[in-house]
Amino acid sequence: MIKKLPLTAEPHERETLPSFFSRMAQINGTEATGFALDLGISFKRILEQDALAIQTFAARSGLTPEQRATLLSWTGERVGDVRMLFRGEVFVSRALRNPVVRGCPQCLREQTEGQDHPLRYMSMSGDWLCRGVDICLRHRHSLVPLWSYKNRFERDNIGARLAMILPDLLAGRFECEHIEPSDYDRWIDLRLSQGLDDTWLAKPSLFAAMTFCDLLGAALLRKKGQEVDGRHAKAVGFAVASQGPGSIQEALGRLTRAEDGEHTVNQGELKPIFSALGYLYRNDESFDVFRDIVRDHVLKIWPLPAGEEIFGYTLPERRVHSLKTASKETGIGTPLLNNFLTEAGAFAPDDARTEARKTFDAKTYQALLDEIPTLVAPGIMRKVIGATLAELKALEADGVLVPRTKVAKIKSPWRISDGLSLLESLEKLAVQVDGDAPGWETILLAQRRLGVSVGSIIGAIKDGTLRLGKRADVFGYHGFVVQITEVAQLREPTQSGVAPTAREGELNAAAFGRSIGIRGNGAFMALIEGGHVPAIEVMHPVTKRPQWRMRGEDVAAFHATFTTPTVLAAETGVHRNTIIAAISAHSVTPFRPGGLEVGPVYLRKDIQPVLRALSGKS
């Protein structure tokens, strides 16, 4: 059994192994190297924490297993090539081992008071080793550099080093002004000394937490144009990070926001954070929680392509476009693309950002980007549908065919698919008419002769109240004809005519449906006939056919329960295309009673999130 030395001491609170070993050497009248040889070991083996050497020293010094474990916990034990276990947490070695040794001069001077042999009582505290610690809470004094040695054996020969600086310590030459501890200072001291943490930062490792606080705080100080001081940076970063992901995201938003209030599209102030998370600590899993937060933020604001890798995560699809990246991918010039996107609500009309910084949600506007190259000029549209220029203008004026954009600078605003869809729907309703059959005229001529709008004529055709003919020898829309006498019956009778069955103030239900943007054949009628929209059925005074009419209260009841993009455009002043994009972005589905397709009709209660989003665009 190894005998205990006659002269021993108790370790001080938070004392390190080299410090206690050096004090024991002083107590026994020698220095560290000689003391180790006297014990039958070497000082090098003590510093390297050789298990047998430490066991021998502990036995000769009378250390209990608990005291030995505490000494090692405040010293740091290697758990890999560049990792150390310190106070129960894993740190990188350089966070605990540094050529510059720091300490609190007031702690050291206080230990010498009244002592004839001060070196037997002066000890180095383990928390001084941690680069995340900057202050002695007890004395409210900064940790100051005491000595610097690259050679670890010289550096950790605590007794020899303290002997060198003792005169200056006693003379107070290391001391500075007292400082006020920050919440960060108190947090890290409590975490190291007692393992307690009631903040969100209790989840990550202490090393990752203190490192991120420093990185984030420094970035925030630079953003404000302030000098970056290590202790101040940690305090600023802790004030943010300790509150959790939401607070960190908000701070990242400030770091990536330019003077105009919009986000930047480069690393900027985030560069040191990216360097640490993506390179320096890329294999350290304890930083994953911070990587996730930073990654989530930049993916929301940066126009990154699919396949881009950030912190080990490969982006499966593009989330954000800029005007510049969208132009590059689509081959559409930025001026033209800017006009489309501005009208659709992606940009404000007065948005003066550069092409690279004009960003928008890629998914919301992907359909528009896909569609723009397919749009055609009026001349091509006329040829495709077989219409004269006047006929195309009349269809547009009455909303039967709606160009994809109203921007005058855009010379190709038409969807071919819209024109072909109109032709297909009319073809299904048309009967063949000889070219010289009397009483038949084109829809435009009927409109000009009788003053009945093109929209009303086509609506009546789809409602089945007006016959449609098709001249076989004429291509497309210009070949559709209607009976003049039947169109004349569509005009509302005057007071001199037969008294109508329908009462004054009532609306033709089909016409009301068209006015709110429901143009599908029978779609609005299906809502009425299904009992979802109130209306009354009357006899048309001229055609003697049953007809649905809507009273004022019926119209009010519809608007109280339902809405459409056309109605929302009138209510908010926002372009219809922008509204449609917002509805898609919020994943609001149309009203489908029993699975029946009734057009772009939405329950008003379901559209509230869209209205809130649009309130900033009106």
Side-chain angles (χ1 to χ4, degrees):
M1 180 177 179
I2 300 177
K3 294 178 62 176
K4 180 181 175 181
L5 292 169
L7 297 177
T8 61
E10 295 287 319
H12 289 171
E13 184 181 4
R14 306 189 186 190
E15 189 169 9
T16 66
L17 176 63
S19 172
F20 182 65
F21 190 88
S22 293
R23 281 207 303 121
M24 282 294 296
Q26 291 289 331
I27 290 170
N28 284 276
T30 184
E31 44 75 41
T33 302
F35 181 58
L37 293 175
D38 291 341
L39 297 179
I41 55 177
S42 69
F43 185 46
K44 179 179 179 181
R45 288 175 64 192
I46 288 293
L47 295 183
E48 291 179 346
Q49 297 180 11
D50 175 79
L52 183 58
I54 291 176
Q55 182 180 350
T56 300
F57 169 61
R60 299 300 303 275
S61 302
L63 292 174
T64 67
E66 292 76 15
Q67 287 174 322
R68 181 174 63 182
T70 301
L71 277 172
L72 289 171
S73 77
W74 280 111
T75 305
E77 303 172 77
R78 290 199 176 275
V79 290
D81 292 339
V82 293
R83 295 285 187 273
M84 302 192 79
L85 186 66
F86 183 70
R87 298 301 293 162
E89 301 207 46
V90 177
F91 283 70
V92 297
S93 300
R94 63 177 172 273
L96 301 170
R97 300 291 186 260
N98 193 290
V100 179
V101 176
R102 304 173 306 152
C104 172
Q106 291 193 354
C107 283
L108 294 170
R109 187 159 59 85
E110 192 176 76
Q111 292 168 351
T112 68
E113 292 177 357
Q115 305 298 335
D116 294 333
H117 302 283
L119 294 178
R120 298 180 182 180
Y121 299 92
M122 297 171 68
S123 65
M124 298 296 288
S125 183
D127 54 315
W128 300 348
L129 294 173
C130 180
R131 292 295 133 173
V133 176
D134 300 302
I135 182 177
C136 168
L137 286 182
R138 180 181 176 193
H139 294 104
R140 302 194 173 200
H141 195 286
S142 295
L143 300 185
V144 298
L146 300 175
W147 61 79
S148 178
Y149 283 90
K150 290 184 178 180
N151 185 295
R152 60 175 297 198
F153 301 104
E154 292 292 330
R155 181 171 70 241
D156 290 339
N157 190 342
I158 305 300
R161 302 287 76 79
L162 287 175
M164 290 179 61
I165 66 171
L166 183 58
D168 287 336
L169 277 172
L170 296 178
R173 294 192 182 99
F174 284 97
E175 295 182 19
C176 309
E177 292 183 3
H178 287 188
I179 55 177
E180 187 64 29
S182 68
D183 288 341
Y184 169 86
D185 295 323
R186 285 183 280 269
W187 164 76
I188 195 170
D189 186 80
L190 189 62
R191 179 92 171 243
L192 285 172
S193 62
Q194 301 180 43
L196 299 178
D197 191 344
D198 60 359
T199 74
W200 178 81
L201 291 172
K203 299 177 182 179
S205 74
L206 177 56
F207 173 69
M210 74 183 199
T211 303
F212 187 76
C213 285
D214 192 6
L215 290 166
L216 181 61
L220 290 169
L221 291 175
R222 285 193 300 270
K223 183 69 173 180
K224 292 181 179 180
Q226 298 179 10
E227 184 178 351
V228 177
D229 168 77
R231 182 170 173 269
H232 189 195
K234 295 184 186 82
V236 170
F238 174 78
V240 172
S242 61
Q243 298 180 55
S247 178
I248 297 173
Q249 289 275 8
E250 190 277 331
L252 294 173
R254 281 183 275 147
L255 290 174
T256 54
R257 193 166 291 117
E259 292 182 1
D260 59 6
E262 299 294 337
H263 288 294
T264 57
V265 292
N266 52 35
Q267 290 186 14
E269 299 296 349
L270 294 183
K271 189 172 184 178
I273 295 177
F274 262 75
S275 178
L277 298 181
Y279 176 72
L280 194 58
Y281 304 117
R282 64 183 179 276
N283 297 321
D284 192 332
E285 294 180 359
S286 65
F287 283 86
D288 283 351
V289 63
F290 299 111
R291 268 188 282 269
D292 290 344
I293 294 172
V294 176
R295 181 195 301 115
D296 287 347
H297 175 72
V298 300
L299 289 181
K300 292 176 184 176
I301 64 171
W302 285 358
L304 302 174
E308 185 80 10
E309 183 178 310
I310 297 184
F311 305 147
Y313 171 81
T314 301
L315 188 63
E317 61 180 1
R318 180 184 284 280
R319 297 186 187 181
V320 179
H321 252 312
S322 70
L323 183 59
K324 183 176 181 179
T325 59
S327 175
K328 184 177 180 180
E329 287 191 7
T330 62
I332 303 167
T334 52
L336 176 62
L337 195 56
N338 184 67
N339 285 330
F340 271 105
L341 289 166
T342 299
E343 183 187 44
F347 309 134
D350 58 351
D351 192 336
R353 287 178 294 169
T354 62
E355 295 174 356
R357 291 185 55 236
K358 266 192 162 181
T359 56
F360 58 94
D361 184 271
K363 185 176 181 180
T364 298
Y365 296 97
Q366 187 59 51
L368 173 60
L369 296 180
D370 293 339
E371 185 178 50
I372 293 173
T374 69
L375 299 179
V376 299
I380 297 177
M381 185 67 166
R382 286 170 45 209
K383 291 181 180 179
V384 168
I385 66 172
T388 66
L389 179 59
E391 285 173 330
L392 180 60
K393 287 183 175 180
L395 289 168
E396 178 185 359
D398 230 20
V400 177
L401 284 180
V402 180
R404 183 60 180 83
T405 175
K406 296 287 188 180
V407 178
K409 294 180 180 179
I410 297 175
K411 305 305 181 185
S412 298
W414 290 102
R415 298 184 186 95
I416 289 178
S417 60
D418 287 349
L420 295 177
S421 178
L422 174 64
L423 291 185
E424 182 181 359
S425 64
L426 293 178
E427 288 279 3
K428 292 178 180 178
L429 301 173
V431 296
Q432 291 295 317
V433 175
D434 293 336
D436 56 355
W440 294 89
E441 287 190 350
T442 64
I443 296 172
L444 180 62
L445 288 177
Q447 180 262 329
R448 289 176 172 176
R449 182 191 299 274
L450 301 172
V452 179
S453 69
V454 170
S456 296
I457 293 173
I458 292 178
I461 292 168
K462 292 183 176 182
D463 292 342
T465 58
L466 184 64
R467 288 184 299 160
L468 178 66
K470 181 66 171 69
R471 289 174 174 156
D473 57 342
V474 181
F475 168 71
Y477 180 78
H478 192 64
F480 291 115
V481 290
V482 289
Q483 272 282 350
I484 292 300
T485 56
E486 293 182 7
V487 175
Q489 293 176 347
L490 295 178
R491 292 185 295 181
E492 291 290 339
T494 63
Q495 292 183 353
S496 59
V498 179
T501 306
R503 291 171 292 181
E504 187 175 355
E506 294 172 353
L507 297 174
N508 180 298
F512 173 75
R514 290 191 294 273
S515 74
I516 59 173
I518 305 176
R519 302 186 182 279
N521 189 22
F524 193 67
M525 296 301 103
L527 282 175
I528 293 174
E529 292 166 359
H532 304 288
V533 175
I536 57 174
E537 190 174 27
V538 300
M539 188 68 69
H540 192 281
V542 177
T543 65
K544 305 304 180 184
R545 294 178 179 177
Q547 181 187 61
W548 289 105
R549 308 281 291 188
M550 296 180 69
R551 300 159 294 183
E553 57 265 33
D554 299 330
V555 172
F558 172 86
H559 286 300
T561 304
F562 302 103
T563 190
T564 69
T566 300
V567 172
L568 290 175
E571 291 176 350
T572 64
V574 178
H575 194 279
R576 186 173 179 274
N577 291 340
T578 303
I579 292 168
I580 293 173
I583 290 172
S584 174
H586 286 79
S587 301
V588 181
T589 56
F591 180 63
R592 295 287 183 267
L596 181 65
E597 171 67 53
V598 293
V601 180
Y602 299 85
L603 289 171
R604 190 168 284 273
K605 65 181 179 65
D606 292 343
I607 217 77
Q608 292 308 307
V610 177
L611 290 175
R612 286 192 291 271
L614 292 174
S615 63
K617 299 177 182 286
S618 59

